[in-house]
Amino acid sequence: MPRRQGYALLIALLAGTAVLAAAAVLGTALFAGPRPAPLPSADTHAAARKPAAPAHTNGGWVATWTTAPVSGEPHTERGFPGSTIRNTVHTSVGGDAARITLSNLFGTSPLLVDRATVNTRPVTFGGASAVTVAAGGQIVSDPVVVPVAPGSDLEVAFRTPRPGGPVTHHPSSHQTSYLADDRATWSTTKWRYLTAVDVRNEAVAGTVVAIGDSLTAGSGSTTDANTRWTDVLAERLGGRYGVANAGIAGNRLLAPSWAGQPGTVRFERDVLGVAGVRTVIVALGINDVQGAPQQTDAGQIVAGLRSLAERARARNLRVVGATLTPFEGFRSWTPERNAVRLAVNEQIRSGTVFDAYVDFDAAIRDPAAPNRIRPAFDSGDHLHFNDAGYRVLGERVDLASLERSRTAKPVSDAL
């Protein structure tokens, strides 16, 4: 073949190859759809910091779900080596990216996680797939581009290849999660190690954080139904605010107990440390009244509630307090303890403690016997509520009040 013809043939072959490559790229684009834009490096860097800023300075990150770490799980001194922990959580708002917080607060040895996912999307920590969380510490992941829908269940899974415990956990979650190893998969109602899921959403104004006891955690509600009063509040807010639940069953305001650190101690971590926190709802005090040892001085409970309000105001946060609900018929009820409850409620309603209040007591009590829960709302033990009762509480909060200027006006709708 003459040299000139050989050059022409080579040029034609190269041109044909280029056309085929361009067609392949175009075809891939047509079938795959638009690719999500990578997160800016500034967002990735910010994810390594503990989220604590108010919504207007948080870079679009808000909490869609949180839980409060309670204690080291009994009989988990070695942790769950070789196991995958699959936590199921229910979101309040959606976003186009997520990040997770892992806590080893009650661990006495380092926690190694060598693989983590959010709805099967790989999660990294400082660019690496594996991370070690120091005993007593916590860590926030890098952002992962994953669509998060509001009001949906999200699975956050991670593997712990080595021994390390005790396991930091939240029992009585009223949500089914799983623990899996090479032998089997077990269901559980405990959340392990995971304490927060944040989402990136510039349209969300911030997060409402509710700190409370079993009545905020949802004791008596149906498992997997997501009928806690905070879930009802999130539905009513319609994606305008995230709602973070920091309730712990049995928790007290003033004194430590089997149910985690008291509210005055955990307030910084479980409330002020939540991404995008803007409004705080305080629903604590009933266990100080009825749980052993009982606090007989209503003034001490009110002072503790007031201290939480002042700490929140120092961060320019709005603070709403909830009145204490009735419990006549529960095993620890006495007229004297009920008098303490009523005295605390009187101070809350006076407007001298919080910026505003929601009257859970008025919403849930029996008009014919005001020291008791209305039978239609009682879970059966005369202290906790059923799904209908929690819905009444969630619907009691006046949504507009969450953004009002600080007043003593009650944040509740008339029944």
Side-chain angles (χ1 to χ4, degrees):
M1 179 185 297
R3 180 177 299 178
R4 182 172 298 177
Q5 291 180 354
Y7 286 153
L9 179 60
L10 177 60
I11 291 170
L13 288 171
L14 291 173
T17 301
V19 170
L20 288 172
V25 170
L26 178 60
T28 300
L30 288 173
F31 284 100
R35 295 174 181 266
L39 287 174
S41 58
D43 278 355
T44 301
H45 179 70
R49 300 195 301 266
K50 179 181 178 182
H56 60 277
T57 60
N58 71 347
W61 289 98
V62 295
T64 187
W65 171 91
T66 66
T67 194
V70 176
S71 63
E73 184 176 347
H75 314 299
T76 62
E77 289 75 14
R78 296 185 70 252
F80 295 109
S83 298
T84 297
I85 295 165
R86 294 161 48 196
N87 292 297
T88 304
V89 306
H90 193 71
T91 66
S92 58
V93 292
D96 62 0
R99 65 187 186 188
I100 63 174
T101 300
L102 300 182
S103 173
N104 194 22
L105 178 63
F106 298 104
T108 57
S109 59
L111 166 68
L112 174 63
V113 171
D114 68 352
R115 183 175 64 210
T117 59
V118 174
N119 275 2
T120 73
R121 299 282 183 96
V123 177
T124 59
F125 302 83
S129 59
V131 67
T132 298
V133 187
Q138 71 172 31
I139 193 163
V140 182
S141 76
D142 300 332
V144 54
V145 177
V146 57
V148 177
S152 64
D153 287 348
L154 193 74
E155 183 180 272
V156 180
F158 41 87
R159 188 174 66 180
T160 55
R162 298 177 186 168
V167 174
T168 297
H169 82 316
H170 180 106
S172 305
S173 69
H174 311 289
Q175 199 95 40
T176 303
S177 295
Y178 300 92
L179 177 68
D181 61 17
D182 56 3
R183 297 170 297 165
T185 298
W186 294 269
S187 63
T188 179
T189 54
K190 299 174 182 178
W191 287 313
R192 293 171 167 130
Y193 293 124
L194 182 71
T195 58
V197 178
D198 305 331
V199 294
R200 188 180 65 176
N201 189 330
E202 297 285 352
V204 174
T207 303
V208 178
V209 183
I211 182 170
D213 44 47
S214 57
L215 304 181
T216 296
S219 295
S221 66
T222 302
T223 298
D224 296 327
N226 301 302
T227 52
R228 311 165 191 86
W229 69 261
T230 53
D231 297 317
V232 176
L233 178 61
E235 292 172 9
R236 296 180 61 218
L237 285 167
R240 288 176 294 167
Y241 288 88
V243 177
N245 188 316
I248 297 177
N251 199 231
R252 298 170 66 110
L253 171 68
L254 300 176
S257 69
W258 57 268
Q261 298 165 322
T264 52
V265 173
R266 65 188 185 92
F267 193 71
E268 178 73 28
R269 179 190 66 240
D270 294 343
V271 176
L272 303 182
V274 172
V277 56
R278 183 161 176 170
T279 300
V280 182
I281 302 178
V282 179
L284 278 169
I286 193 63
N287 288 327
D288 297 77
V289 172
Q290 66 85 24
Q294 287 82 20
Q295 174 55 254
T296 59
D297 183 355
Q300 292 295 316
I301 296 174
V302 171
L305 294 172
R306 186 174 284 116
S307 73
L308 298 188
E310 290 171 351
R311 289 164 66 183
R313 291 189 191 109
R315 302 287 187 94
N316 199 31
L317 305 177
R318 195 170 321 286
V319 196
V320 176
T323 54
L324 308 186
T325 50
F327 67 104
E328 185 177 357
F330 189 66
R331 60 181 179 273
S332 63
W333 190 90
T334 66
E336 294 76 18
R337 291 167 190 165
N338 188 60
V340 175
R341 178 183 73 89
L342 295 176
V344 172
N345 284 350
E346 182 179 3
Q347 288 299 306
I348 291 174
R349 293 186 180 110
S350 74
T352 62
V353 182
F354 300 105
D355 300 332
Y357 69 88
V358 55
D359 204 338
F360 281 174
D361 173 35
I364 208 79
R365 69 191 179 204
D366 185 348
N371 294 319
R372 288 179 175 268
I373 300 170
R374 189 178 301 191
F377 303 149
D378 194 340
S379 69
D381 66 2
H382 310 301
L383 175 66
H384 301 100
F385 315 130
N386 57 23
D387 293 347
Y390 286 118
R391 177 154 293 278
V392 166
L393 297 190
E395 291 176 345
R396 185 75 175 187
V397 180
D398 176 14
L399 304 187
S401 69
L402 299 176
E403 293 188 293
R404 284 179 187 154
S405 60
R406 291 178 181 147
T407 69
K409 194 176 296 184
V411 293
S412 55
D413 300 313
L415 288 181

